[in-house]
């Protein structure tokens, strides 16, 4: 379906250069400290040229100019998926479609956790830790699992 899948988590204190660095790392491109953000955007764009690319951006809290980050406006085959708790951010970034994703219940999250861990869930001491992880991080785990299935 896609030639390349890039998944980056955007921190609250993100910068263009850090975001470009995360993308370039997944593309296995070298970063030179003396090069500016325009050069990085060009390199990313050139690497993606002619390829179908899915770009998953998780935890987006601020507007991101995707052209400045990776120069992708000319890549018609590429798709960008934004995950954000802030609906207005997605609107500001001209999202084609907004989808409200509801968090998993503790029961659903624990079942998903059991599927991933497999038989190890029955090892002594694992189940209580798993239940705690699901209670605290279940929503995050569910979001990440759903993204990996794309």
């Amino acid at each position: 379906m896609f030639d390349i899948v890039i998944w980056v988590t955007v921190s609250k204190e993100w910068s263009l250069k850090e975001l470009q660095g995360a993308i370039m790392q997944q593309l296995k491109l070298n970063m030179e400290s003396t090069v500016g953000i325009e050069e990085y955007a060009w390199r990313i764009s050139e690497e993606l040229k002619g390829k179908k690319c899915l770009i998953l951006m998780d935890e987006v809290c601020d507007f991101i100019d995707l052209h400045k980050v990776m120069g992708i406006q000319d890549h018609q085959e590429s798709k960008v998926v934004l995950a954000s708790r802030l609906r207005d951010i997605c609107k500001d970034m001209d999202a084609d479609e907004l989808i409200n994703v509801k968090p998993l219940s503790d029961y659903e999250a624990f079942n998903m956790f059991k599927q991933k861990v497999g038989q190890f869930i029955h090892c002594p001491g694992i189940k209580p830790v798993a239940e705690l992880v699901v209670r605290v991080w279940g929503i995050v785990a569910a979001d990440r699992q759903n993204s990996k299935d794309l």
Side-chain angles (χ1 to χ4, degrees):
M1 181 182 285
F2 291 99
D3 300 319
I4 299 173
V5 176
I6 298 170
W7 180 10
V8 292
T9 300
V10 183
S11 70
K12 287 184 181 180
E13 291 83 31
W14 68 276
S15 71
L16 281 174
K17 203 162 195 169
E18 287 172 353
L19 189 52
Q20 288 174 322
I23 293 167
M24 290 180 72
Q25 182 178 2
Q26 290 192 31
L27 293 171
K28 296 180 178 32
L29 297 174
N30 292 327
M31 286 187 72
E32 299 169 24
S33 59
T34 58
V35 176
I37 57 172
E38 295 84 11
E39 175 72 17
Y40 288 143
W42 179 82
R43 287 182 184 179
I44 293 168
S45 179
E46 286 299 304
E47 183 68 22
L48 300 178
K49 195 176 281 184
K51 299 174 184 164
K52 286 185 173 182
C53 182
L54 175 62
I55 302 160
L56 303 162
M57 302 186 92
D58 196 11
E59 299 180 26
V60 177
C61 298
D62 291 311
F63 176 85
I64 299 172
D65 184 336
L66 296 175
H67 181 66
K68 279 187 181 178
V69 173
M70 55 192 132
I72 65 164
Q73 72 185 28
D74 298 329
H75 298 279
Q76 299 300 321
E77 297 294 323
S78 294
K79 301 292 179 194
V80 177
V81 176
L82 305 172
S84 178
R85 296 173 190 253
L86 306 170
R87 196 171 184 85
D88 289 341
I89 297 295
C90 297
K91 287 179 182 177
D92 291 345
M93 292 178 66
D94 295 327
D96 293 331
E97 187 175 349
L98 300 177
I99 301 170
N100 187 28
V101 178
K102 294 182 176 145
L104 296 175
S105 69
D106 286 351
Y107 176 78
E108 293 167 322
F110 186 71
N111 280 337
M112 184 183 74
F113 190 92
K114 282 193 316 188
Q115 285 178 331
K116 293 299 168 190
V117 173
Q119 66 186 10
F120 299 106
I121 195 73
H122 302 294
C123 293
I126 296 291
K127 188 173 181 181
V129 172
E131 289 171 345
L132 177 63
V133 167
V134 165
R135 226 179 358 267
V136 175
W137 295 103
I139 296 168
V140 174
D143 288 345
R144 293 189 188 280
Q145 175 57 38
N146 289 337
S147 295
K148 287 182 180 177
D149 287 342
L150 289 175

